[in-house]
Amino acid sequence: MRDAKPPSYRILLQTPVSDFSYVVSVAGNHQEITSDWLWLQENLLETLGSFEEAEQAMEFAQAKIHSLATFAREVGGIPEDMEQLKFKEVEKRFLKQFNMPPDEK
């Protein structure tokens, strides 16, 4: 069985002085990633612009995104990580391929 296809779109956070980037959002289609980008523009970008140092803005953004992801996981909004997402996709295809009901594992 093939692995799940990686998401087509992603938003990364990177400061001009760093070689590292952090995944902020992933989506399977343009509409989802655009929605995430608009949320970031409305709720985060203005605040990030108020920091004098890029590192401070990066730390704030990471903390904010981490807390939002933690909250979403607690209420069942997003999977723990990409591995869990891949597993769920493979499981879904397996159940479909063998005509198994979702509650039968």
Side-chain angles (χ1 to χ4, degrees):
M1 187 167 302
R2 297 178 303 191
D3 287 337
K5 181 180 174 185
S8 301
Y9 299 90
R10 62 187 177 167
I11 297 172
L12 302 175
L13 175 64
Q14 181 178 10
T15 64
V17 296
S18 175
D19 291 334
F20 296 101
S21 60
Y22 302 91
V23 176
V24 174
S25 177
V26 294
N29 62 53
H30 187 264
Q31 182 179 356
E32 289 175 4
I33 205 71
T34 300
S35 173
D36 292 349
W37 179 252
L38 291 174
W39 188 93
L40 288 167
Q41 282 182 311
E42 293 171 7
N43 296 286
L44 196 59
L45 290 183
E46 186 175 332
T47 304
L48 293 179
S50 68
F51 289 97
E52 292 183 20
E53 298 291 326
E55 291 79 21
Q56 292 173 327
M58 176 70 88
E59 288 174 13
F60 174 82
Q62 287 175 315
K64 181 77 169 177
I65 292 165
H66 182 355
S67 68
L68 290 170
T70 300
F71 175 76
R73 272 195 293 279
E74 288 173 359
V75 297
I78 60 173
E80 275 297 312
D81 57 23
M82 289 304 294
E83 287 301 316
Q84 184 178 1
L85 183 63
K86 287 179 186 177
F87 174 79
K88 287 180 184 267
E89 181 64 31
V90 170
E91 178 185 39
K92 186 171 91 176
R93 281 190 278 152
F94 179 84
L95 294 172
K96 182 178 178 182
Q97 177 73 28
F98 295 102
N99 296 321
M100 295 174 68
D103 58 340
E104 185 177 322
K105 295 181 181 178

